Amino acid sequence: MFRRERNLLLAVDDEADFLELIEQIGQGVGCTVITADTAASFREQLSHRQPALILLDLQMPGMDGIEALRYLARQNVTSGILLASGMDQRVLASARQLGESLGLRMLGTLQKPAMLEDIETLLAKHLEPSSRISVEELRTAIDEHELIVHYQPKVVRSANDWHVRSAEALVRWRHPRLGLLYPGEFLPLAEQSGLIVDLTDFVLTDAIRQIGHWGTRGLDLGAAVNLSPRLVQDLEFPERLSRVLREFEVRPEQLTLEVTEAASVDDPELVMDIFTRLRVKGVGLSLDDFGIGTSSLTLLYKMPFSEVKIDGLLISEIAQSKAAATVVRAIVELAHNLSLTACAEGIENSPAFEFLEQCGCDALQGDFIAPSMPASEIESFIDVWNGADHTLVPVVRK
């Protein structure tokens, strides 16, 4: 058996356009991509090399995804496996469970069609850091202020209309050699090197400072920041955060911290301690990426969340999948029954906006409303947004 090759991705799909997209994204995150568009080419590729990661479409002619999984198990392949399909999440989940029962390293699923940034983030998460950048460069980026924060507006239901009430802070890197880099390019390196704590502190401080600045401009806006799981293990974090809020005269309720389920896995008691102290101080807590993978209902009533954020991959399916629409509607109702706010991200089109409005979703975010932008552009966006009628369909601004 061949040794698994670092940063080698095998993409298996019969759609030429999708394979071309994966090749482009793979190059962007610093990996080598090989492809297979038939069962024969799939076997041929594996007869010569063992990739670090296999992206496998479930609907391949000549060998469907389930047969491919059985073949991989018989060959004792140790590659990490991501399943991709346009079929519904239940089929993907069942296929993943089968792969796990066969002893394969099943890493996750990708619902097609998928947004470019979602694919980029997924690949970067499961591949080693790109050789294009180093730990030293990232440390310099943090110290020398090469990192910048863009903000994606989030609209909140108010009476019969939608108003901008906050924005999600999204980090970017103005690399002196490679240009503007998105999170999928450098966050995995930050996680593995331990620099994710410094990076998160930078984004948090920038967001809180920005909230304070908006306040001086007469804008009562909040901000949401993704919280690294490592900071959820730090008992001193709530007090440090309180000091920064006081420094910039920002009310705690203007800040929301978005955390994933993974943050509470290792030490639930410690996480409960930190989460509860944050909530007592008035800071909002959002359970991010809800509705995909192994989202736990238990967390919703055991942990002191104030918001559920429905994942964009699930939102992208509601127009084509009755099951996805049913799940989204149920999540909104569940959130309300637990006295939580329901927020949906990844709003890409008018049907999704209208459906979520009808569901009673409390907050919406996505490129259909507005892409992420420099903080300096938020004020002009709000002026345009507030001057339009959004009771049925928003004005598209990109």
Side-chain angles (χ1 to χ4, degrees):
M1 176 58 64
F2 302 101
R3 176 177 294 182
R4 194 163 68 240
E5 294 186 43
R6 175 181 179 270
N7 283 348
L8 177 65
L9 166 67
L10 170 58
V12 186
D13 200 294
D14 62 334
E15 297 180 16
D17 289 345
F18 184 72
L19 290 178
E20 183 178 344
L21 175 64
I22 296 300
E23 286 184 298
Q24 293 173 356
I25 296 174
Q27 292 171 3
V29 298
C31 68
T32 302
V33 181
I34 55 177
T35 63
D37 58 2
T38 65
S41 59
F42 168 62
R43 296 190 189 94
E44 175 69 15
Q45 292 283 25
L46 288 175
S47 70
H48 297 295
R49 309 172 76 174
Q50 180 165 180
L53 191 65
I54 297 174
L55 179 62
L56 177 65
D57 183 27
L58 286 182
Q59 296 173 293
M60 282 285 294
M63 175 188 281
D64 64 46
I66 304 305
E67 293 175 301
L69 290 174
R70 294 192 182 280
Y71 177 81
L72 292 169
R74 290 196 301 270
Q75 299 300 311
N76 297 314
V77 169
T78 60
S79 309
I81 300 171
L82 296 168
L83 298 178
S85 178
M87 305 183 75
D88 64 52
Q89 282 286 348
R90 289 174 296 179
V91 176
L92 279 168
S94 296
R96 178 177 181 173
Q97 290 174 5
L98 173 63
E100 291 172 345
S101 71
L102 293 171
L104 296 170
R105 291 178 58 230
M106 307 302 295
L107 300 181
T109 60
L110 180 68
Q111 190 82 39
K112 296 164 63 179
M115 291 178 285
L116 186 146
E117 192 163 318
D118 291 326
I119 300 174
E120 179 186 71
T121 300
L122 189 64
L123 295 183
K125 177 180 179 181
H126 294 294
L127 289 164
E128 295 181 45
S130 167
S131 58
R132 298 204 303 161
I133 56 177
S134 66
V135 174
E136 290 70 25
E137 284 181 294
L138 182 54
R139 183 177 290 111
T140 298
I142 297 171
D143 294 340
E144 301 297 327
H145 306 290
E146 292 175 4
L147 300 179
I148 58 174
V149 180
H150 285 185
Y151 292 85
Q152 184 170 45
K154 182 163 70 172
V155 296
V156 175
R157 186 189 297 271
S158 177
N160 294 320
D161 205 351
W162 297 87
H163 296 280
V164 179
R165 290 287 182 262
S166 65
E168 181 177 0
L170 301 166
V171 67
R172 307 287 188 256
W173 181 0
R174 288 182 298 203
H175 196 287
R177 176 169 49 88
L178 301 172
L180 188 67
L181 301 181
Y182 287 82
E185 180 78 24
F186 57 89
L187 285 188
L189 179 61
E191 288 281 4
Q192 294 185 26
S193 65
L195 288 174
I196 191 65
V197 174
D198 292 336
L199 191 152
T200 304
D201 277 344
F202 167 82
V203 177
L204 265 171
T205 302
D206 188 275
I208 294 170
R209 181 190 297 113
Q210 189 59 53
I211 294 172
H213 175 72
W214 283 328
T216 65
R217 304 281 295 175
L219 296 174
D220 187 13
L221 292 179
V225 177
N226 291 284
L227 187 64
S228 165
R230 294 198 185 207
L231 285 171
V232 180
Q233 307 292 321
D234 181 3
L235 280 171
E236 301 302 317
F237 173 67
E239 286 305 320
R240 292 205 313 274
L241 181 62
S242 291
R243 288 196 293 270
V244 178
L245 289 167
R246 289 194 297 270
E247 178 183 352
F248 293 102
E249 299 182 349
V250 170
R251 304 189 311 276
E253 59 269 22
Q254 290 179 281
L255 178 68
T256 297
L257 301 177
E258 298 186 0
V259 296
T260 62
E261 182 180 3
S264 61
V265 170
D266 293 335
D267 193 338
E269 291 185 4
L270 176 61
V271 173
M272 177 69 82
D273 181 310
I274 294 170
F275 280 2
T276 303
R277 287 165 61 208
L278 288 169
R279 292 294 293 124
V280 167
K281 293 176 182 296
V283 175
L285 279 179
S286 177
L287 179 55
D288 201 9
D289 298 339
F290 194 80
I292 62 167
T294 55
S295 303
S296 174
L297 294 176
T298 304
L299 285 178
L300 288 182
Y301 75 87
K302 285 193 172 181
M303 294 292 184
F305 289 105
S306 54
E307 178 183 86
V308 175
K309 195 165 190 182
I310 309 171
D311 189 81
L313 288 178
L314 182 58
I315 297 300
S316 69
E317 286 295 301
I318 58 179
Q320 298 83 28
S321 169
K322 183 178 179 180
T326 300
V327 169
V328 170
R329 193 182 295 276
I331 292 174
V332 173
E333 183 177 356
L334 174 65
H336 291 167
N337 287 337
L338 293 173
S339 299
L340 303 174
T341 297
C343 174
E345 64 179 338
I347 314 301
E348 299 294 325
N349 51 54
S350 175
F353 186 99
E354 292 183 26
F355 174 81
L356 290 159
E357 184 176 49
Q358 294 164 7
C359 283
C361 197
D362 305 290
L364 305 176
Q365 176 185 341
D367 283 353
F368 180 67
I369 297 165
S372 60
M373 61 187 71
S376 59
E377 297 180 12
I378 291 287
E379 291 182 47
S380 59
F381 168 77
I382 291 176
D383 289 340
V384 175
W385 177 270
N386 288 346
D389 178 7
H390 316 104
T391 54
L392 292 177
V393 181
V395 176
V396 183
R397 304 173 181 83
K398 287 195 178 182

